[in-house]
Amino acid sequence: MTHGYTAGTGTNPDPESTPAYGIPQQRQQEPELAPEPKKAKGGGRDRYLDLLRSIALVRVVVYHLFGWAWLSVLFPSMGVMFALAGSLMARSLNRPALGVIRGRLRRLLPPLWAFSALVLVMMFGMGWNPLKDPDMGGTWWGAAKVFDYIVPFGAPPYPEHLGSESGLLESTWADQAAGPLWYLRAYLWFVIASPLLLWAFRRVPWATLLAPLALTAVVGTGLVTIPGETGNAVSDFAVYGGCWVLGFAHHEGVLKKVPRYLAVSGATLIMGFGLWWASGHLGPDGWDLNDIPLAQATWSFGIVVILLQYAPSWQTLPGRLAKWDKLVTLSNNRAVTIYLWHNLLIMATVPIIDQLYNVPFMESDAATSFLDKADTFLMFLLIWPLIALAILAFGWIEDIAAKRGPRLWPDGRSKGSNGSNGSNGGSRRRG
């Protein structure tokens, strides 16, 4: 007996990434892609930022697995991740901009190439021909978009349906596997634009900070419609641009200059507006902010202001959080790997769980009914060992890309509990 999952909704559904198991598409949540982390006072990594990144990653996986709309309100992972990336980018731009951009690309692209190689081999092996795909115009120009699997300037192409419903993977697997790549495209363009954005921020900080929210009010509400992939890219830039620039403000110390009561009060008002706007523009998944650009932008902006305004500077995780130190270190060192592969791995849990129906003592009606009801929970249990396998199989590529010696399981054990040798990582359902 086969149980499938709901397909994603296309190339550019919303602000997280393509959903893997009956989850609406959104772009989101995905972590900063591998620059060195901000240092805590006294040297070492800032473990508070590491903890936020780890929470964002877990939230993305859980969201794409269960599709709970309320998670987009509880913790706007993508906004948080773009803010952390912006802070780290501002720190790096103390060096020549061209070298910084080149370094970011070097860290980003090799892990993408490994993922793209497998996905393209699977798609071509199952009969997809971009030259004959009507969605790509059947032209060489359309087929050239496959290049986006190598350098994600745009959204990479894929067939909406490939294979059969009775196959190991549901026919929309390519759509869902490619879903997280929206984040890499957005991250790439933010990196390229950062020298200019930081220049503007240092001269007119508040205008630069609030401009993305104003742009979202124009392009994210239907007031002005930009068609196609260009519209998707502009919408992403607008929705998460405020969070990226908030990262600049955090690094430059601008947020700390604003009285805390004033920053929190202003953030609360902006968040309140976001929820008010969402209440009148609910999408097919209700309160999923990934379907409501202006609500996503304002709610994420407000949450990020509060998280960064109260940001401690931890060299080690305090109190009970210390027991999570190794997992936080591991997830930060392998954030790109986890983000790239998690949707495909969620889909891979389905044929594995299907094998339970063939176990002799599970063939009764009661056992079958139990499996039908518990399949998503079983997927939740299975996804983490599959992610661990992906870390072992592909994670070392992040080390090579960062010009480090390859490590299979970099959880900080060999370098001390603060994980000082690590780097950071960086969903369309989005996260």
Side-chain angles (χ1 to χ4, degrees), residues 264-309:
V264 173
S265 298
T268 302
L269 288 175
I270 292 174
M271 292 162 61
F273 169 82
L275 292 183
W276 171 80
W277 181 266
S279 68
H281 299 82
L282 298 180
D285 298 298
W287 282 87
D288 194 325
L289 300 186
N290 292 287
D291 298 328
I292 315 168
L294 185 56
Q296 176 74 287
T298 50
W299 181 259
S300 298
F301 186 94
I303 290 289
V304 167
V305 167
I306 294 172
L307 289 174
L308 295 183
Q309 178 66 228

Side-chain angles (χ1 to χ4, degrees), residues 29-51:
Q29 308 151 9
E30 323 33 3
E32 149 50 344
L33 297 169
E36 285 302 317
K38 181 186 175 190
K39 302 289 184 179
K41 293 178 181 178
R45 296 177 63 107
D46 189 325
R47 300 299 277 168
Y48 175 72
L49 300 187
D50 286 350
L51 179 63

Side-chain angles (χ1 to χ4, degrees), residues 39-102:
K39 302 289 184 179
K41 293 178 181 178
R45 296 177 63 107
D46 189 325
R47 300 299 277 168
Y48 175 72
L49 300 187
D50 286 350
L51 179 63
L52 289 181
R53 188 174 294 105
S54 297
I55 293 172
L57 274 172
V58 172
R59 211 285 270 150
V60 170
V61 175
V62 172
Y63 171 84
H64 287 164
L65 181 58
F66 292 101
W68 293 327
W70 54 267
L71 285 174
S72 67
V73 178
L74 177 66
F75 192 82
S77 293
M78 294 320 298
V80 171
M81 294 314 307
F82 279 118
L84 299 181
S87 178
L88 295 171
M89 190 67 187
R91 176 175 176 265
S92 297
L93 283 172
N94 292 326
R95 307 190 301 272
L98 186 59
V100 172
I101 293 173
R102 186 167 54 243

Side-chain angles (χ1 to χ4, degrees), residues 81-388:
M81 294 314 307
F82 279 118
L84 299 181
S87 178
L88 295 171
M89 190 67 187
R91 176 175 176 265
S92 297
L93 283 172
N94 292 326
R95 307 190 301 272
L98 186 59
V100 172
I101 293 173
R102 186 167 54 243
R104 290 294 183 270
L105 288 177
R106 188 191 70 239
R107 291 169 179 263
L108 167 67
L109 296 182
L112 170 64
W113 294 338
F115 175 82
S116 297
L118 178 63
V119 170
L120 287 172
V121 166
M122 290 174 65
M123 290 194 297
F124 292 147
M126 295 177 71
W128 180 58
N129 184 344
L131 284 173
K132 297 180 180 180
D133 190 333
D135 292 331
M136 301 177 65
T139 65
W140 281 102
W141 176 252
K145 284 186 64 61
V146 172
F147 181 76
D148 286 321
Y149 280 101
I150 301 174
V151 181
F153 287 118
Y158 50 82
E160 291 189 9
H161 297 276
L162 188 63
S164 66
E165 297 295 338
S166 59
L168 285 178
L169 292 176
E170 196 261 1
S171 65
T172 61
W173 73 267
D175 179 11
Q176 302 189 43
L181 300 185
W182 77 269
Y183 174 79
L184 276 67
R185 180 196 62 190
Y187 175 85
L188 174 63
W189 284 110
F190 275 127
V191 165
I192 293 173
S194 281
L196 179 59
L197 285 174
L198 186 58
W199 176 87
F201 177 77
R202 287 171 173 170
R203 283 153 182 80
V204 282
W206 297 108
T208 307
L209 187 61
L210 297 176
L213 295 182
L215 181 60
T216 305
V218 174
V219 301
T221 62
L223 186 62
V224 172
T225 301
I226 303 175
E229 185 57 30
T230 300
N232 294 331
V234 171
S235 179
D236 289 341
F237 194 90
V239 169
Y240 296 107
C243 293
W244 186 275
V245 179
L246 276 172
F248 292 175
H250 173 65
H251 175 266
E252 300 283 294
V254 173
L255 281 180
K256 293 299 184 183
K257 295 178 182 177
V258 180
R260 180 169 292 176
Y261 77 90
L262 187 60
V264 173
S265 298
T268 302
L269 288 175
I270 292 174
M271 292 162 61
F273 169 82
L275 292 183
W276 171 80
W277 181 266
S279 68
H281 299 82
L282 298 180
D285 298 298
W287 282 87
D288 194 325
L289 300 186
N290 292 287
D291 298 328
I292 315 168
L294 185 56
Q296 176 74 287
T298 50
W299 181 259
S300 298
F301 186 94
I303 290 289
V304 167
V305 167
I306 294 172
L307 289 174
L308 295 183
Q309 178 66 228
Y310 281 89
S313 187
W314 292 337
Q315 288 185 273
T316 59
L317 294 176
R320 295 181 179 180
L321 292 175
K323 65 182 179 181
W324 301 100
D325 183 86
K326 290 182 176 60
L327 287 178
V328 169
T329 299
L330 177 67
S331 62
N332 274 265
N333 276 303
R334 294 296 180 255
V336 184
T337 299
I338 294 169
Y339 179 72
L340 276 174
W341 291 92
H342 77 275
N343 251 18
L344 192 58
L345 295 175
I346 288 174
M347 288 183 288
T349 64
V350 175
I352 295 174
I353 293 173
D354 280 344
Q355 299 308 307
L356 293 176
Y357 289 90
N358 299 323
V359 176
F361 63 83
M362 297 298 291
E363 292 180 350
S364 67
D365 291 341
T368 298
S369 176
F370 169 78
L371 289 177
D372 288 343
K373 294 177 181 179
D375 61 348
T376 306
F377 177 71
L378 294 174
M379 291 172 70
F380 175 78
L381 295 180
L382 187 57
I383 186 60
W384 306 110
L386 289 181
I387 287 175

